[in-house]
Every structure is written in C-alpha cells, then in structure tokens.
Amino acid sequence: MLESIVALPGDEIEIRRKEGKELVIGPGLRKDNQNTIVSMKCGLLKKKENFFWLESHQKRYVPSRNEYVIGIAVTKSAETIKIDIGSSEYASLSFLAFENATKRNKPNVEIGDLLYCRVLTGNKDMEPELVCIDAAGKASGLGVLKDGFMFKINLELARRLLSGSNQFLRELSKNIPPFEITIGMNGRIWIKTSSCKQTIFLFQAINQYSNVSESDTENFIKNLLKDYSDWE
Amino acid sequence: MLFDSSNLEAELGCLTKPDGSAKFTINDTVQLCGVYGPGEVKLMKEIAERASVSVVYKPRVGLNTNREKVFEYTLRSILDGIIITSLHPRTAINVIIQEVQNDSNYLACSLNCACLALLDANIPLKYTFASVSCALIENENRIIYFPNAKQEKESLMSGTFVFDSVDKDLISVNTSGVFDQDQFNFILNNARQYAIDKIFPLFNKLINQQYNKN
C-alpha cells in the first residue's frame, strides 16, 4: 500500500499504469495539460485496485451524489424545503421525495427539524438536491430525526466511522445500553440515548476518537469502558 | 556573506471555528489566518463560473486604512491565481488575516500564513507558495533575510518575493529602494534558495505531522 505518502498541492503523482486497466482518480487529484496526475490538496495518497485518491482532513462539506447527509430544514415553500447540509448553498428537498408522500399527503416537516437524506444531485454547477427515499420508494431509515442530539465532527472522522472495517461503534454498542446513532457524510452526527449521561459519554468518546489511530481502537475502547463504569 | 538568524515558527489548525487556520511567526511578527470556504456567497460577489476569493486584513488596533486596502488587494491577486477557483463555482473563499504582532515583514508573514491556512482548509490549489523578504546591505554586499524595520531602513533595497513549490518560479515581487539588474538577480536567487532550504521544508514538515499522527 501507499499508506505513508503525503502529497502537497502541485506534487506530481507517479502511478505505474497496468496494461489494459483504466485509471480512476478521485478527490484531490487532477490531470494537468501534460497528462500527468497532479495533486491539488494535501493528504494521504490512497489506492484501491485502479482507484487513486487523496484522503484529506477537510471540514467543509462539498456534496456529491449518493452520499448520506444530515441536514437542518431552513425554509419551507409549497413544493420544496431548503435544507442546510453545511455546503456552500442550501440543498432542496421535494415534499414528494418522502415515503408515501402525495400532493395531498405531505410529510410533516417543521423548520429546524433534522433530516437524514441522500444526495441525489451533487454537481458543482447545480443546487444540491436531496431525497428521503431509496430507489424502491421506501424510507429505509431516511427522513426526519426526532429528539436526540446533533453535533459536528470533521469529515474525515465521519468517513472513518462509516467505513465497514471500523470496529469503534460495533465494539462500543456491545458494552453499553442501546442507543440510536446516525452519521452524515457532511460531518454531522445525531445520537439518541435513554439518558443524558450516555449522550455526554458518546459525544466525548466520538470526539476523542478523532485522535486515535485505527490500530489503537481496541485499547481506546477498553479505557473508555473503564471510564464508563466509573460514571455509573 | 549570508547572514541569517531568523526565527520561523508555524502552527496549523489553531482555530476551531474556520474551515482552515494557521499561525505564522517570523521573528517578532505574528499573524493568524482563518479560511472559510468554499462557502456561501453574497449575491453581489457571485461569479457564475468560478469561486470569488476575498481577503480581509485586520490590523492589531484601529480600523483599516488605505495601507491595509492595498495590502488586501495584493494578497487577493496572488491567492486568486493560485486557488483553482473553477472547481467551486458560485461560492466564496474568504481569507481573514489577523495581525497579532507587527515588526515589518508582514507581507511575507501573511502570505506564508495564508498558504498554510489554505492547505489546512483543503482548498484546491495549483501549488503551494512560500514568501521570503530580504534586504540588501550595499557596502558589505550581504543579504539579511526578514530584516527588522531598522535594517530595512538602512538597506540599499528590500523586497518580498513569492515562489511556487513546483518550478520554484517567482509568482510575485514587491520591492523598495534603488537597485540595478545584477543586484536584483543576486537577491532573487538568494531568496529562492532560502525558500527552498527553509520555508518549503517547514510546510512539508507541518503537513506530514498533521497526516502521520493518525
């Protein structure tokens, strides 16, 4: 793996191309006029098969298609709701993009509500568009998030928590009372627990986790749970 | 011939609120920079095909005068060329520089600080850039890097140079004093060498620290 290569803007990334395989470059990389691949942000160079991208610590969210985000309803009009998803402009969410919604039967969304949605169009030239249903027209977890507590983390931590190989939440949930958690790719986390104490505990645990490496996760959780039993 | 005792220090991500921030210290000059973006844009400043870059300079005391306005304009024109603005149309990238301490060299300090803050905010850039200011003392024919106000006054010429990280080419230059072509080339080449030896490695070190911590 290319784990430890840290690229800075303008660095030329030399990738040996395999015959017959197309190269795909992702966030942080671009092709310049000479057909070489150049980085335009700083970050760790990552690779998966023929995909290359830079993993960087960004705080500002830039919407892209099929990402799941947590938004806040800002304004309502007849057909759509404007949602703040932390990007440069508000995203629009149609009232019809909810499960079982019709022209007459509109979903109950108030200004200030939290919504868990999927980005339908995330194009730099267009206003982002959100939906709260999947391809089959089912909500499957999307929609208004009631009660609970929302806080912000950096985007890199959100991606880490969501990645399939990450054990942090899995291990944590085995050892403490059940809770609900929703992580948006835009760096917002919503948690709902049965007690205030647990909310504070989770909030602190997740914030502290941003400084913990993947290999130290196990130890970190052990220490956390020790603390947690002291709290009780 | 070369004389250098400058103290350079830098820190990344020292503010929590902005999308990217940095602090840069050159001797007794300290600047803080915060970058917001790509964020919401005012209707007046909206550009259909690219991001609008704005720079605000906050002096330590008092209000902005013409001096700061000219300075903001200089900075903006440099940054606008380096940021790949076409990637984020209809957005704003705001760079705010707060003067904490000022003992000359503020242009070089602000530029280095802005570069680090832009890197921290992960704004797409063509390359990184480093700025060096130096003064030429005539009768000894030596260069002082990051001169203080007194040294600057006594010097034959002084200037601030900005270099890019790829070809190490000159991006911008700001000089004062009387000099000829040879003297300019002499000071330019030394400034470039200084940027390669001291400032770019400092940036690299900081970014590496940031990403290898995890």
Side-chain angles (χ1 to χ4, degrees), chain A:
Chain A
M1 274 301 272
L2 306 146
E3 276 295 340
S4 56
I5 297 179
V6 178
L8 270 111
D11 287 359
E12 201 177 298
I13 311 286
E14 282 181 50
I15 298 171
R16 258 181 261 120
R17 290 163 206 234
K18 273 189 196 146
E19 285 296 314
K21 256 206 165 173
E22 217 172 69
L23 205 69
V24 184
I25 52 170
L29 299 175
R30 71 185 173 116
K31 223 169 162 186
D32 75 352
N33 302 336
Q34 280 85 44
N35 241 346
T36 48
I37 291 163
V38 177
S39 64
M40 56 180 182
K41 289 179 178 181
C42 55
L44 283 170
L45 186 65
K46 294 273 171 114
K47 173 200 172 183
K48 195 175 188 181
E49 291 161 24
N50 56 339
F51 292 89
F52 290 85
W53 74 97
L54 285 184
E55 183 84 45
S56 46
H57 301 186
Q58 199 167 341
K59 279 200 214 161
R60 175 72 64 157
Y61 178 65
V62 179
S64 62
R65 195 176 150 83
N66 278 338
E67 282 184 347
Y68 290 88
V69 295
I70 295 176
I72 305 163
V74 181
T75 51
K76 261 198 318 190
S77 61
E79 302 261 297
T80 59
I81 322 163
K82 287 267 175 278
I83 310 270
D84 170 22
I85 54 169
S87 60
S88 61
E89 60 183 325
Y90 293 146
S92 76
L93 170 63
S94 168
F95 271 118
L96 295 170
F98 287 85
E99 193 182 44
N100 295 331
T102 57
K103 282 245 170 184
R104 283 208 193 143
N105 179 22
K106 280 185 183 172
N108 188 18
V109 181
E110 294 302 321
I111 287 166
D113 276 358
L114 288 177
L115 290 122
Y116 185 48
C117 344
R118 186 166 63 92
V119 180
L120 189 68
T121 48
N123 186 321
K124 67 177 168 126
D125 296 306
M126 283 155 69
E127 183 189 52
E129 201 180 332
L130 307 172
V131 285
C132 282
I133 42 173
D134 60 8
K138 291 276 173 279
S140 58
L142 298 167
V144 180
L145 300 168
K146 289 211 175 65
D147 307 325
F149 174 71
M150 190 203 74
F151 59 97
K152 280 186 186 171
I153 52 167
N154 69 41
L155 300 185
E156 192 244 358
L157 180 58
R159 283 195 296 268
R160 253 176 88 196
L161 290 171
L162 284 168
S163 75
S165 59
N166 194 282
Q167 293 298 321
F168 177 67
L169 288 172
R170 232 167 265 158
E171 288 300 319
L172 204 60
S173 59
K174 277 181 198 161
N175 296 294
I176 59 172
F179 60 93
E180 282 182 69
I181 184 162
T182 302
I183 303 167
M185 288 284 273
N186 57 344
R188 287 179 182 163
I189 291 190
W190 172 86
I191 44 179
K192 188 178 172 185
T193 59
S194 48
S195 72
C196 241
K197 253 185 192 171
Q198 204 188 348
T199 307
I200 297 167
F201 169 76
L202 277 170
F203 171 69
Q204 288 182 348
I206 291 168
N207 272 317
Q208 282 164 18
Y209 186 60
S210 64
N211 297 320
V212 179
S213 71
E214 213 68 24
S215 48
D216 289 339
T217 305
E218 219 169 292
N219 269 329
F220 176 68
I221 292 176
K222 250 182 225 162
N223 287 332
L224 267 183
L225 293 171
K226 225 182 276 165
D227 287 352
Y228 188 68
S229 50
D230 291 344
W231 281 36
E232 293 292 307

Side-chain angles (χ1 to χ4, degrees), chain B residues 130-171:
Chain B
S131 178
V132 180
S133 82
C134 35
L136 185 68
I137 309 287
E138 193 200 11
N139 39 18
E140 296 159 62
N141 202 21
R142 67 182 175 122
I143 291 173
I144 297 175
Y145 296 103
F146 301 113
N148 60 31
K150 187 168 166 264
Q151 288 165 328
E152 206 176 323
K153 216 173 182 181
E154 288 168 353
S155 68
L156 176 74
M157 72 160 287
S158 61
T160 302
F161 301 84
V162 188
F163 301 99
D164 76 63
S165 64
V166 179
D167 303 322
K168 312 289 187 287
D169 270 342
L170 193 62
I171 298 173

